[in-house]
Amino acid sequence: MTDNPQRNRPEDPDKDAAGGDRSTPLTKRGGGDPATRGRTTIADGVVEKIAGMAARDVVGVHAMGSGLSRTFGAVRDRVPGGGRSVTRGVKAEVGESQTALDLEIVVDYGVSIADVARDVRENVVAAVERMTGLEVVEVNIAVSDVKLPDEEDDDEQTEPRLQ
């Protein structure tokens, strides 16, 4: 009787019966991490909505947009289905990995405009970067008006004077 050298050899746990390597799969699927497969694009309007909501959350911001856009917005708000536009007063330019924003705000009388502008920038940058992953390279703020305590509000719906 002759000994078969393969039969007496201890089995290698990393080799299969044919001598192939068990440690790696025979076929590789995909091209690496699933999170890197494909491309995500974010529309300007999405960034504008996020920035508009974040800016409105800051104490001292009375409204967004210029007087004319607020007047048209107030009319649009009264039309059924018109809805409030959260993008009023916000313009975004979105690239592949960065965005720049222009905001037009109305501040309440008596607040520090510099403090409100700083707070708006911080809030907008944090919200946009957290939600989109885009780098916010600049937030330009134009203060178009100051809301005085005795001024009537264009955005508020008032009772009709005649009944």
Side-chain angles (χ1 to χ4, degrees):
M1 266 175 121
T2 18
D3 283 295
N4 188 344
Q6 287 183 347
R7 189 178 277 180
N8 293 336
R9 208 181 305 161
E11 193 170 313
D12 186 354
D14 290 335
K15 300 285 183 187
D16 61 14
D21 191 3
R22 274 195 237 188
S23 60
T24 57
L26 296 176
T27 58
K28 244 186 170 176
R29 293 188 180 174
D33 181 22
T36 62
R37 297 180 200 171
R39 190 170 158 195
T40 302
T41 56
I42 300 171
D44 292 0
V46 172
V47 174
E48 289 170 355
K49 282 184 179 182
I50 294 167
M53 292 297 292
R56 283 176 176 78
D57 284 344
V58 174
V59 174
V61 174
H62 179 75
M64 302 287 295
S66 67
L68 185 60
S69 72
R70 287 194 333 268
T71 301
F72 284 130
V75 171
R76 188 173 44 246
D77 292 346
R78 288 185 178 99
V79 174
R84 273 191 91 111
S85 175
V86 295
T87 61
R88 186 185 313 152
V90 183
K91 178 69 179 132
E93 293 178 33
V94 180
E96 285 187 30
S97 62
Q98 296 179 327
T99 186
L101 295 153
D102 294 321
L103 302 167
E104 192 170 1
I105 65 173
V106 176
V107 297
D108 291 320
Y109 177 79
V111 299
S112 166
I113 293 174
D115 290 346
V116 170
R118 183 194 67 240
D119 293 346
V120 167
R121 272 191 193 89
E122 289 175 356
N123 212 29
V124 166
V125 168
V128 170
E129 287 185 347
R130 178 179 51 83
M131 293 180 72
T132 66
L134 296 169
E135 176 190 5
V136 179
V137 292
E138 67 180 6
V139 178
N140 299 313
I141 298 173
V143 179
S144 61
D145 201 359
V146 174
K147 168 66 172 80
L148 300 175
D150 60 342
E151 282 183 332
E152 207 173 286
D153 223 349
D154 290 337
D155 289 344
E156 291 179 5
Q157 291 200 10
T158 56
E159 293 288 321
R161 295 175 72 180
L162 300 174
Q163 293 189 9

